[in-house]
Amino acid sequence: MADRTAVPGPCRLVCESISKTFGGTVAVRDVSLSLAAGEVLALVGENGAGKSTLMNVIAGAVRPDSGQVLVDGTRLSHGPQAARGAGIAMVHQELSLFGNLTVAENVLLGAEPVTGPLIGERALRETAAKILDDLGIHLDPDAGVARLSPGQRQLVEIAKAVATQPKVLILDEPTSSLESTQVDVLHALVVRLARRGTGIVFVSHRMNELFRFCTKVAVLRGGELAEEGDLADYSHDRLISAMVGRDVSDLYPARTDAAGRTDPVLALREVSGHGLHDITLDVVPGRVTGIAGLEGHGQSAIAEVLAGVRAPTSGQVLVAGAPTRLNSPAKAIAAGVGYVPSDRRTAGLALALSVAENMALVGGAGIRGRFWFRPRRQAAAVREVAARLALRSSSTGQAVGELSGGNQQKVLFGRWLLRADLRVLVLDDPTRGVDVGAREEIFGLLRELTARGVAVVLVSTDIQELLGMADDIVVIYEGRITGTVPGGDATEERVLALAMGQEVPA
Amino acid sequence: MIGTTTRTALRAGIPLWLLVFIALIVLPVLSEPFRSANNANSLMASLAPLLLVSAGQAVVVLLGGIDLSVGGIVGLGTVLVATPAVPGWVAAVLALAVGVAAGLVNGLGVLAGVPALVMTLGMSGVLGGIGLLVLAEPGGQVSRGLLAVLTLQAYPVPLAFVVAVAALAVAWTAVSWTRWGRVVLATGHDPVAARRTGLPWRSATLRAYALSGLFSGMAGLAVVARTYSGDSLSGGSLILDSITVVLIAGIALTGGQGSVLTVLPAAAVLGLLQNLIVLSGLDSYYQYIVEAVVLVIAVALYEASGKRPAFLARGG
């Protein structure tokens, strides 16, 4: 529970009828909000509901068409620097750490202790160490940020925001790359800041965390403020209904029993390397093979080996029973293996190119043309898939970088739907930063694929997702398989226990 | 105390320092003409403009930009100083002011969204053209008083060389130990994130280009100290030479990675090569071939040693 006993103080943050239109699309319409000192506000909504725009307006990164933002009663002028000066700190979902600098340098960037013009390196390191200690974050201040895990980077990013002693702290999906112990650290930190009177805006797609961290809730739908109130008055179901605007019975489609064919289409035999040890794994057509594990335990490496991004140092990869050297993504694609990487912005998409270009990238001669590029054939194929995905974009010619996270993920999906010869689809954390509605659609598509006989490998740090989707859950701990649990009768406790390296009697 | 990032950046330069030290010990033993005080004097005098321009170039490259206007600024500087119509001291100050002003305009153009490559290339053309309009043929006349100051030396060490090393040290200190320097490194690494975080990247950009302009203006004076004359085209070779030095120093063209101090041994390697080719009596055109080969080998070695991330590094 967050600090619900705090007496609501004066309004830290007030948004007065904020509106913002991009091109022809209304992103935010006439939204008014207030946040008292010590309150933790859950800002929720589907992708494209206007959360990001509203947060960016508050943080000064986007200038609203009308309306204003007040901090402690003072009107905010435009610009990130003005917002920062007024006491607003934002932790973006896309991290803004600098990999060429150390942890300490990042935490105190722009606010380094100086004597005259010169930075005091010792003071810098000590101040940063103290801030990290205070927050319960155990990291070497001298460590290079480029070498940290995503979860550790997220914590550094949060420490950087807290170091400015903000009056208003905006956390955008702060837990998406955190392990459960790191989430505990964050929770303790949020409670402490709220007690000190910081107003906190918390954005997350994880229900449990919203209820754990927040005291108030504001629901955005289609750019407008749909509901707001005390979070205590809401149940999980009511909150999801409020976001979607309709009743949601079950996020996960029913399992269909397609266990008729059992010959694995893709298999690993005692594969080691890249942090993996003796991984033996069968990927069977028509089934969703879930791979569970806490962040950084090697599950992404398995996805990369299956997709040909990395070749194992020992062991075999079998394609339809035959040992194959899958040492490049091109070979994997030729073998019918598609891959949706976890970091879609840097590893999956060409952000500057259009939706159509991104989708057709691996579409093959049938779609792009054998020698001459066939724009009409490509456009027709892409339009069909875009419609099936319920892709929200102004046209298939729109640049992918302009889409929301969930829609970017759909484009990556669409890429493989365009390939008729797809036999295996490997997905690494496909729903990170994707809202409930789009999740539901993605899960539906995965079931459609398995019904077609495609084998799906789903790597995820979200155990709920694996419980809902996977036919088998393979659990990884420190690069080894600690157990395989049938999806139907798996429990969160059992998977978590295996993922934390505990021996569990079958 | 030296911070971790600064130390890491310096470590990449250790092989270069060793190379220069070994060369400075071995070459005088092997070569009679190299040993002479005259040669040392001429080597240092020729290094002064290269050091100045390269130090400024390094700062701009660390910011993620590039400055092709250095040659134009140097050339116009020499022309201004060699114009008899302007009194010597005024001309010298004017040369520096033109450098700073050109740098500021470069910075403003880059902030307005013109790619650095285009902006500074345009500036180079404008300045070079003005220089040629003022003084079409190399020559002119440098005031005697000014020349006496520019060529001051504690034989065999020329004043220009000392000033160049000092300027480089100032630039290194500023990049490594001021808030401005951190913003330069951050912006060079990820300009979008720097903007989003609310760092003062605009003023940092202006200052970086202004610094490069100022150093180029100073380099113009250092060139006059060697040639005693004005020539609008005299800075041309410094454009590519300064980029070569920056690359040999292990500073990534993608920005954010490297140390300004390493420019010193990198420029020395280039200066020594040129010096050796002259002393050995080879055709001076060989210097282009040798420099190019050294550049490619140096960059290949950096990539292989992983001392800085490859151009296609994942994440980070």
Side-chain angles (χ1 to χ4, degrees):
Chain A
M1 287 287 127
D3 190 12
R4 275 161 210 219
T5 54
V7 183
C11 277
R12 278 288 185 218
L13 174 74
V14 176
C15 297
E16 281 181 6
S17 30
I18 304 237
S19 294
K20 177 71 191 178
T21 307
F22 290 110
T25 330
V26 178
V28 171
R29 178 182 287 149
D30 198 24
V31 171
S32 297
L33 274 180
S34 65
L35 178 66
E39 278 183 347
V40 185
L41 174 76
L43 184 63
V44 300
E46 286 194 89
N47 276 345
K51 290 179 313 232
S52 302
T53 308
L54 184 60
M55 284 187 291
N56 280 323
V57 167
I58 297 172
V62 166
R63 187 194 293 270
D65 298 334
S66 63
Q68 54 179 340
V69 178
L70 300 115
V71 177
D72 280 346
T74 312
R75 187 181 173 162
L76 207 63
S77 44
H78 177 71
Q81 275 164 271
R84 190 171 150 162
I88 292 177
M90 176 159 174
V91 176
H92 291 266
Q93 191 185 346
E94 317 291 351
L95 300 187
S96 20
L97 292 182
F98 300 94
N100 56 341
L101 302 178
T102 65
V103 169
E105 288 164 350
N106 267 288
V107 167
L108 291 171
L109 191 59
E112 296 91 350
V114 285
T115 28
L118 296 183
I119 294 171
E121 292 288 355
R122 186 163 301 162
L124 174 84
R125 184 188 300 169
E126 281 164 7
T127 314
K130 193 168 170 304
I131 291 169
L132 293 170
D133 252 20
D134 264 5
L135 299 176
I137 299 169
H138 303 294
L139 278 178
D140 177 8
D142 279 337
V145 160
R147 292 177 205 280
L148 300 183
S149 76
Q152 290 173 325
R153 284 191 205 194
Q154 181 75 60
L155 291 178
V156 173
E157 182 85 39
I158 292 165
K160 181 174 150 188
V162 173
T164 63
Q165 300 187 316
K167 294 174 183 166
V168 176
L169 177 64
I170 306 171
L171 300 168
D172 185 7
E173 290 279 354
T175 59
S176 59
S177 51
L178 295 186
E179 291 171 23
S180 62
T181 52
Q182 293 173 328
V183 174
D184 295 340
V185 169
L186 178 64
H187 182 249
L189 187 159
V190 164
V191 169
R192 203 171 319 152
L193 288 176
R195 281 222 181 93
R196 283 187 211 156
T198 310
I200 296 166
V201 179
F202 192 94
V203 175
S204 174
H205 287 118
R206 296 184 180 178
M207 281 296 148
N208 295 336
E209 282 162 12
L210 289 176
F211 282 93
R212 184 178 174 201
F213 280 83
C214 304
T215 55
K216 307 266 285 184
V217 64
V219 182
L220 289 180
R221 200 166 63 219
E224 297 183 44
L225 185 65
E227 292 182 30
E228 62 174 319
D230 285 333
L231 194 57
D233 300 338
Y234 282 77
S235 66
H236 281 42
D237 287 347
R238 186 179 156 205
L239 192 54
I240 291 179
S241 306
M243 285 161 63
V244 181
R246 61 188 156 86
D247 281 332
V248 178
S249 49
D250 192 1
L251 192 57
Y252 305 101
R255 283 191 179 76
T256 48
D257 196 23
R261 291 168 56 195
T262 47
D263 286 346
V265 57
L266 186 62
L268 301 181
R269 292 285 173 265
E270 287 159 18
V271 160
S272 299
H274 312 294
L276 301 175
H277 306 283
D278 285 335
I279 300 287
T280 292
L281 181 74
D282 284 346
V283 179
V284 181
R287 289 176 78 84
V288 176
T289 307
I291 298 183
L294 299 176
E295 197 219 303
H297 279 263
Q299 54 282 44
S300 291
I302 294 183
E304 290 182 339
V305 168
L306 289 172
V309 176
R310 296 173 187 233
T313 48
S314 72
Q316 283 186 326
V317 181
L318 307 181
V319 176
T324 310
R325 266 179 63 91
L326 274 191
N327 54 3
S328 78
K331 284 189 186 167
I333 292 169
V337 181
Y339 174 48
V340 176
S342 66
D343 194 344
R344 55 180 172 258
R345 293 178 70 84
T346 59
L349 293 166
L351 293 176
L353 294 186
S354 70
V355 169
E357 285 293 340
N358 270 287
M359 271 200 202
L361 214 52
V362 293
I367 285 154
R368 294 172 67 90
R370 185 159 303 283
F371 181 74
W372 297 108
F373 172 54
R374 306 286 293 268
R376 248 176 277 167
R377 197 194 289 182
Q378 173 178 312
V382 165
R383 262 201 306 276
E384 188 196 318
V385 170
R388 242 177 88 197
L389 292 166
L391 191 71
R392 263 157 259 157
S393 66
S394 63
S395 78
T396 54
Q398 190 177 11
V400 163
E402 295 171 9
L403 302 183
S404 66
N407 281 308
Q408 289 182 350
Q409 199 67 334
K410 285 186 190 172
V411 171
L412 268 182
F413 259 82
R415 183 179 287 175
W416 301 110
L417 293 183
L418 277 172
R419 282 195 74 100
D421 62 348
L422 183 71
R423 293 200 285 173
V424 181
L425 185 58
V426 181
L427 307 123
D428 191 356
D429 240 347
T431 57
R432 172 178 291 188
V434 170
D435 70 83
V436 179
R439 266 181 205 214
E440 197 182 355
E441 287 160 7
I442 288 173
F443 293 146
L445 282 166
L446 289 183
R447 278 282 165 241
E448 230 178 85
L449 285 175
T450 54
R452 239 169 69 185
V454 173
V456 170
V457 178
L458 178 62
V459 175
S460 181
T461 46
D462 184 345
I463 296 176
Q464 287 295 339
E465 181 172 301
L466 292 173
L467 294 178
M469 282 302 298
D471 297 303
D472 303 288
I473 302 176
V474 177
V475 191
I476 308 291
Y477 173 72
E478 292 189 343
R480 293 174 198 279
I481 294 179
T482 46
T484 302
V485 190
D489 49 63
T491 61
E492 187 164 2
E493 291 75 19
R494 190 156 164 217
V495 173
L496 196 59
L498 287 168
M500 293 169 77
Q502 294 167 21
E503 289 297 326
V504 177
Chain B
M1 191 179 145
I2 295 183
T4 315
T5 300
T6 309
R7 208 175 328 140
T8 314
L10 283 179
R11 206 172 294 143
I14 291 175
L16 271 180
W17 285 105
L18 286 178
L19 183 66
V20 171
F21 279 126
I22 290 170
L24 288 180
I25 291 166
V26 172
L27 289 176
V29 178
L30 293 183
S31 158
E32 174 79 41
F34 186 88
R35 220 176 304 162
S36 75
N38 258 339
N39 186 53
N41 178 270
S42 121
L43 179 60
M44 283 186 266
S46 71
L47 268 178
L50 183 61
L51 277 174
L52 283 163
V53 170
S54 303
Q57 188 73 265
V59 173
V60 172
V61 170
L62 281 172
L63 179 86
I66 195 160
D67 191 348
L68 302 183
S69 70
V70 290
I73 298 173
V74 168
L76 183 55
T78 64
V79 167
L80 288 172
V81 173
T83 307
V86 191
W89 284 109
V90 178
V93 173
L94 203 59
L96 300 183
V98 163
V100 173
L104 284 173
V105 174
N106 280 337
L108 287 172
V110 168
L111 289 180
V114 183
L117 198 78
V118 177
M119 187 64 217
T120 57
L121 182 64
M123 180 60 72
S124 179
V126 170
L127 298 179
I130 294 175
L132 286 170
L133 285 174
V134 175
L135 188 67
E137 298 289 328
Q141 194 163 19
V142 185
S143 93
R144 205 165 295 218
L146 179 62
L147 205 53
V149 174
L150 291 181
T151 54
L152 270 179
Q153 53 187 329
Y155 189 81
V157 184
L159 172 72
F161 179 75
V162 176
V163 171
V165 172
L168 185 133
V170 169
W172 176 58
T173 308
V175 168
S176 306
W177 285 288
T178 66
R179 288 185 179 176
W180 168 75
R182 292 287 147 87
V183 177
V184 167
L185 293 178
T187 308
H189 184 76
D190 187 345
V192 177
R195 203 165 309 176
R196 202 168 46 193
T197 329
L199 291 177
W201 62 284
R202 285 172 187 280
S203 63
T205 302
L206 282 179
R207 284 191 218 180
Y209 281 95
L211 182 83
S212 179
L214 173 66
F215 280 14
S216 296
M218 291 165 70
L221 300 183
V223 168
V224 171
R226 292 181 66 211
T227 63
Y228 298 4
S229 66
D231 178 3
S232 185
L233 302 177
S234 58
S237 65
L238 282 170
I239 304 171
L240 279 180
D241 279 355
S242 67
I243 294 171
T244 305
V245 166
V246 161
L247 283 171
I248 291 179
I251 296 172
L253 272 187
T254 41
Q257 212 93 44
S259 170
V260 178
L261 191 63
T262 314
V263 162
L264 187 54
V269 166
L270 213 59
L272 284 170
L273 277 174
Q274 290 170 355
N275 190 245
L276 285 180
I277 287 168
V278 171
L279 290 181
S280 63
L282 280 172
D283 194 317
S284 68
Y285 293 141
Y286 277 105
Q287 106 186 31
Y288 298 113
I289 299 171
V290 175
E291 275 175 29
V293 171
V294 167
L295 170 64
V296 172
I297 290 175
V299 172
L301 284 177
Y302 280 120
E303 295 296 343
S305 73
K307 285 233 165 83
R308 61 168 222 245
F311 285 110
L312 292 173
R314 290 159 53 91

